[in-house]
Amino acid sequence: MWQWVAQIRLAPYAFDWIDNLGRRSPQRLAALPEPAVGEAFTTAGGRRRGRILAVAPGHHLTGEIMGAVLSYVVEPDSGNTTRLLLKVVMRTNRVLALGMCLGDLVMARRQLLNLKRLAEQGAHPDH
């Protein structure tokens, strides 16, 4: 699962037609180096966006984009499974917060389901 979280640097993995201008998020793992603090957090619509704030390879990735801070945490679960947790924090007013929460819930759910599907398919790195 960690490799897919680290690959968020290449694409958002939510609704490509919304946040990636119709470009399909990669469906195979790319041979990427581990993420590093200060580099771009993701790529959307062909442009690098946000920045990585903290990383512990194999465990968590935290980045900032559009005023929000997102933290992905990969936790081994019982047996041979893994849990992926996502926390989003944003400072805004109450009216905007409601709309942002609802929109982000839909986008984040799609992203997490896409990452789950890809990890379970066992897609191998492109060379």
Side-chain angles (χ1 to χ4, degrees):
M1 177 59 75
W2 170 252
Q3 292 170 306
W4 286 106
V5 170
Q7 192 153 306
I8 288 172
R9 294 174 288 166
L10 297 181
Y13 286 95
F15 292 98
D16 289 336
W17 57 276
I18 293 174
D19 55 11
N20 208 17
L21 299 178
R23 291 180 176 99
R24 188 166 191 217
S25 296
Q27 301 298 295
R28 296 180 64 81
L29 288 170
L32 294 175
E34 290 290 351
V37 170
E39 73 178 23
F41 181 60
T42 193
T43 303
R47 297 184 61 202
R48 296 169 61 112
R49 302 192 186 270
R51 68 186 171 92
I52 294 174
L53 302 175
V55 63
H59 181 62
H60 83 80
L61 175 69
T62 299
E64 173 275 325
I65 186 167
M66 297 174 26
V69 174
L70 292 83
S71 290
Y72 297 85
V73 178
V74 177
E75 288 188 350
D77 209 353
S78 61
N80 194 24
T81 61
T82 303
R83 293 185 67 203
L84 176 58
L85 308 170
L86 170 60
K87 180 178 182 179
V88 180
V89 177
M90 176 182 252
R91 182 173 276 211
T92 188
N93 68 50
R94 289 178 189 229
V95 175
L96 285 176
L98 179 59
M100 300 284 283
C101 286
L102 293 174
D104 191 58
L105 177 64
V106 172
M107 298 296 282
R109 182 176 189 278
R110 171 66 94 162
Q111 180 189 56
L112 295 174
L113 288 172
N114 282 336
L115 294 173
K116 176 184 185 290
R117 176 184 52 81
L118 291 164
E120 288 175 348
Q121 285 176 354
H124 301 289
D126 290 332
H127 295 305

